[in-house]
Amino acid sequence: MFDGYDSCSEDTSSSSSSEESEEEVAPLPSNLPIIKNNGQVYTYPDGKSGMATCEMCGMVGVRDAFYSKTKRFCSVSCSRSYSSNSKKASILARLQGKPPTKKAKVLQKQPLVAKLAAYAQYQATLQNQAKTKAAVSMEGFSWGNYINSNSFIAAPVTCFKHAPMGTCWGDISENVRVEVPNTDCSLPTKVFWIAGIVKLAGYNALLRYEGFENDSSLDFWCNICGSDIHPVGWCAASGKPLVPPRTIQHKYTNWKAFLVKRLTGAKTLPPDFSQKVSESMQYPFKPCMRVEVVDKRHLCRTRVAVVESVIGGRLRLVYEESEDRTDDFWCHMHSPLIHHIGWSRSIGHRFKRSDITKKQDGHFDTPPHLFAKVKEVDQSGEWFKEGMKLEAIDPLNLSTICVATIRKVLADGFLMIGIDGSEAADGSDWFCYHATSPSIFPVGFCEINMIELTPPRGYTKLPFKWFDYLRETGSIAAPVKLFNKDVPNHGFRVGMKLEAVDLMEPRLICVATVTRIIHRLLRIHFDGWEEEYDQWVDCESPDLYPVGWCQLTGYQLQPPASQSSRESQSGSSKQKKKAKSQQYKGHKKKRKMPIGK
């Protein structure tokens, strides 16, 4: 599984009285690796001894922690393997450039200076690679401080199937142990120590170094998917020393016995955790791919756009006719707003033909299989008809659910919907929803679930009654059985924190809270903003992300709005609220904070 502690002849039960008083580790979920007391020994300093190198496997560690009186080997297994035959075989293999044997699998034997130089070069490489992935943090905002100071709870990663690790997060929870850099250390080189998860908030974990017990003075937050977080055993396999924090360095006389007792039977990350993180952050969409996407100026039609960049599965699309490449649109690769080239024609949807007669060099059509699949429906029997009434989330004011009408029935289950009382004469603000969309509802949905239904603009017979309205307009309600009634076990709870796209300005991702749950429908509130800016979003929307997603992917997170910024921006936004804009361009929150590309 992974290398744990070596059961050498040294009596691991002989520890100080303070060690004996340590409580047993609480049981944890069963599908994470269990730390066993076998394999390669861990290295750690006692603050007195110098460093040593194992003559068998080449591991670098503190001399006093090594096995045998001569301190020539890091473990019993290395000592026993150091027979004349194994020594000759090991030397011969190294001279021939072959990989080390199982007994010498950690590091090839090198001088300490060479090891430190190689390690420094490795760290420099990691830093260079991380430049493009580095978090674009907002000055003054920290998720950890925000959650700690207010005792908030974040939605777990498993709520977001489209996000990295969303389907393979497993049982990562409190008390899971990891190896992390030791920042409470005066050594000139980077060293590590073991820490336990105290609290989880999305991808972020509050960690406490082993040995601090109930002392939270050095607790720290980090992204559990970060490059510096490793399963227990990684240091042994990589030849990295484990060094206890300076604050508690002299708390125990036998750190080895302490760690063996604390970690045996505890849980850690899977050995391939970092590999899974990397694999879950590989995205099939690439720059220069062509797609059909909703025209943000005329919602009733689509246009051709080209993928300009991909960040965490989110696409910056530039409309093909944009000469200066500034006419763009942001959405997730699983968004229902993007489709393969030819989709509009195949279902009868309006489409704006491009003035560009041929593809630009390097541009190519995105393969159809990369797009989100919609559920197949049978339109041969009872089906939606033009003129039927229903309730729908207004795509131009996502905080409201409105009285709506089916204006056109397309192929493959797609419908063109218009909001009663505010439709343009040419139908340019009709919006395409699929019949299975969680954003359309049968007549009476709002009343049953105690949601305020927005009546048609100019309708004076209030309070609004569906029975009267249907009779007055000579309309019928769409059959209830045709709507999507599936409610997944999504795991969201009222009050949970997350990161959410402001769909009225979709380049922005903001600190947000789930304030209401109606079946699969979530009411998303943007922290620091008034409730009028809230948005209704489906629980499986690809526009919702766990806490820490922006940091993990390098996307810029918009912090909660301060009172001063709200007041300075609310005047113009509230005036524009009276007249609907036909763009997904933010007729509300004018938070002009540029995204770092």
Side-chain angles (χ1 to χ4, degrees):
M1 182 172 60
F2 59 86
D3 290 330
Y5 284 87
D6 188 272
S7 54
C8 56
S9 58
E10 183 178 350
D11 185 7
T12 58
S13 63
S14 60
S15 57
S16 64
S17 58
S18 59
E19 293 166 355
E20 293 295 338
S21 64
E22 288 294 324
E23 296 180 1
E24 295 297 324
V25 178
L28 291 171
S30 59
N31 68 346
L32 290 179
I34 299 175
I35 302 169
K36 296 181 179 179
N37 185 20
N38 62 2
Q40 293 292 339
V41 69
Y42 281 104
T43 58
Y44 52 88
D46 59 0
K48 301 176 182 178
S49 305
M51 304 292 285
T53 302
C54 178
E55 294 186 17
M56 182 60 205
C57 71
M59 177 187 288
V60 179
V62 176
R63 177 180 178 82
D64 197 51
F66 271 40
Y67 177 72
S68 79
K69 293 181 179 180
T70 58
K71 307 297 182 185
R72 296 169 58 193
F73 308 106
C74 67
S75 66
V76 176
S77 58
C78 282
S79 176
R80 292 173 179 171
S81 298
Y82 198 76
S83 63
S84 58
N85 291 336
S86 63
K87 181 179 179 181
K88 290 177 182 179
S90 177
I91 295 174
L92 180 61
R94 292 176 184 179
L95 290 175
Q96 294 176 346
K98 296 180 181 179
T101 62
K102 289 184 177 180
K103 293 295 183 180
K105 66 181 179 179
V106 179
L107 283 175
Q108 294 186 7
K109 187 175 181 181
Q110 297 175 351
L112 177 59
V113 175
K115 288 175 181 289
L116 295 178
Y119 180 70
Q121 183 178 1
Y122 168 74
Q123 289 298 318
T125 303
L126 283 183
Q127 291 176 1
N128 290 333
Q129 292 176 346
K131 285 183 178 178
T132 56
K133 296 182 179 180
V136 189
S137 59
M138 295 300 294
E139 185 177 356
F141 178 76
S142 163
W143 262 122
N145 294 338
Y146 191 56
I147 288 175
N148 270 353
S149 59
N150 298 279
S151 299
F152 290 141
I153 297 175
V157 174
T158 52
C159 291
F160 310 87
K161 305 303 181 187
H162 59 282
M165 302 299 292
T167 58
C168 53
W169 188 249
D171 287 326
I172 298 175
S173 59
E174 295 177 5
N175 293 322
V176 167
R177 305 305 209 284
V178 292
E179 292 179 352
V180 295
N182 177 5
T183 58
D184 182 29
C185 181
S186 58
L187 294 178
T189 58
K190 188 174 184 178
V191 294
F192 295 79
W193 189 242
I194 295 170
I197 297 178
V198 177
K199 184 175 183 178
L200 268 179
Y203 293 117
N204 293 346
L206 181 63
L207 299 180
R208 181 174 300 168
Y209 289 122
E210 279 295 332
F212 274 80
E213 300 174 2
N214 296 324
D215 181 2
S216 61
S217 60
L218 285 187
D219 288 3
F220 60 98
W221 285 90
C222 69
N223 195 304
I224 206 72
C225 296
S227 59
D228 269 337
I229 311 300
H230 307 282
V232 172
W234 178 84
C235 282
S238 305
K240 303 294 188 296
L242 283 172
V243 180
R246 180 172 49 185
T247 303
I248 59 170
Q249 194 167 16
H250 302 288
K251 186 175 181 180
Y252 297 98
T253 58
N254 189 335
W255 278 107
K256 181 177 180 180
F258 167 78
L259 287 181
V260 168
K261 182 175 181 180
R262 290 288 296 170
L263 298 182
T264 300
K267 303 291 182 179
T268 188
L269 300 177
D272 59 347
F273 184 76
S274 61
Q275 180 182 347
K276 287 183 177 180
V277 172
S278 178
E279 291 173 352
S280 68
M281 295 182 68
Q282 302 298 315
Y283 307 105
F285 280 79
K286 307 298 179 184
C288 297
M289 284 185 170
R290 300 171 76 239
V291 302
E292 289 185 9
V293 63
V294 64
D295 186 342
K296 65 185 181 183
R297 292 182 176 82
H298 296 86
L299 304 183
C300 66
R301 69 186 185 189
T302 58
R303 296 171 61 183
V304 174
V306 179
V307 177
E308 177 75 12
S309 60
V310 183
I311 304 179
R314 287 184 58 76
L315 313 177
R316 179 178 180 255
L317 303 172
V318 175
Y319 290 113
E320 198 168 48
E321 294 173 295
S322 175
E323 295 182 358
D324 60 359
R325 309 193 71 77
T326 59
D327 191 8
D328 61 0
F329 185 81
W330 282 89
C331 68
H332 192 271
M333 63 183 185
H334 294 155
S335 169
L337 302 177
I338 60 171
H339 310 276
H340 61 84
I341 298 296
W343 172 84
S344 298
R345 182 178 181 180
S346 68
I347 70 163
H349 193 282
R350 289 189 194 179
F351 176 76
K352 181 188 178 185
R353 295 189 177 279
S354 174
D355 294 336
I356 300 176
T357 56
K358 64 177 182 179
K359 300 177 189 175
Q360 297 183 21
D361 292 342
H363 293 179
F364 58 100
D365 295 350
T366 306
H369 71 272
L370 297 185
F371 295 88
K373 301 294 186 297
V374 294
K375 185 178 180 181
E376 293 185 5
V377 295
D378 181 12
Q379 297 183 223
S380 60
E382 185 178 9
W383 192 242
F384 293 99
K385 293 182 175 59
E386 291 183 18
M388 284 183 172
K389 299 293 182 181
L390 69 164
E391 299 175 5
I393 296 176
D394 184 351
L396 294 174
N397 187 359
L398 294 163
S399 66
T400 62
I401 299 178
C402 305
V403 174
T405 303
I406 297 173
R407 293 305 181 188
K408 190 175 181 181
V409 179
L410 308 178
D412 296 342
F414 288 95
L415 310 169
M416 296 303 296
I417 307 293
I419 302 299
D420 285 22
S422 59
E423 298 177 64
D426 59 355
S428 59
D429 57 355
W430 293 355
F431 193 78
C432 185
Y433 280 127
H434 193 263
T436 61
S437 170
S439 298
I440 59 175
F441 317 95
V443 164
F445 173 85
C446 285
E447 182 179 359
I448 293 173
N449 293 287
M450 293 181 287
I451 300 173
E452 182 180 357
L453 176 67
T454 302
R457 184 177 298 172
Y459 189 75
T460 57
K461 291 186 63 175
L462 302 177
F464 178 86
K465 299 292 184 182
W466 264 115
F467 180 81
D468 295 336
Y469 186 69
L470 292 175
R471 183 184 58 190
E472 293 168 6
T473 58
S475 308
I476 61 172
V480 175
K481 65 180 181 180
L482 299 181
F483 292 86
N484 181 8
K485 294 181 284 291
D486 295 337
V487 181
N489 184 19
H490 48 71
F492 286 102
R493 299 291 181 269
V494 171
M496 283 183 170
K497 296 293 177 181
L498 69 164
E499 298 176 3
V501 175
D502 176 1
L503 293 170
M504 303 313 300
E505 185 72 57
R507 67 187 179 89
L508 302 180
I509 296 183
C510 313
V511 173
T513 307
V514 177
T515 57
R516 194 174 179 192
I517 301 175
I518 306 296
H519 307 303
R520 63 180 301 149
L521 195 62
L522 309 180
R523 181 81 170 179
I524 301 299
H525 173 73
F526 297 103
D527 289 21
W529 292 90
E530 290 83 0
E531 292 183 1
E532 63 182 304
Y533 302 121
D534 291 0
Q535 296 177 2
W536 288 107
V537 181
D538 181 60
C539 65
E540 294 183 342
S541 168
D543 295 307
L544 303 178
Y545 304 98
V547 165
W549 181 89
C550 283
Q551 180 188 14
L552 177 63
T553 60
Y555 205 95
Q556 182 166 313
L557 177 66
Q558 307 302 316
S562 63
Q563 184 176 355
S564 58
S565 65
R566 288 200 306 269
E567 291 174 351
S568 63
Q569 298 173 24
S570 61
S572 59
S573 63
K574 288 182 179 179
Q575 289 176 1
K576 291 189 177 184
K577 186 186 176 192
K578 296 179 181 179
K580 277 190 180 181
S581 163
Q582 290 190 10
Q583 296 187 36
Y584 281 99
K585 207 50 189 148
H587 60 290
K588 294 182 182 177
K589 290 167 276 185
K590 297 296 180 182
R591 290 170 286 181
K592 297 180 180 178
M593 301 179 185
I595 293 292
K597 292 183 182 179

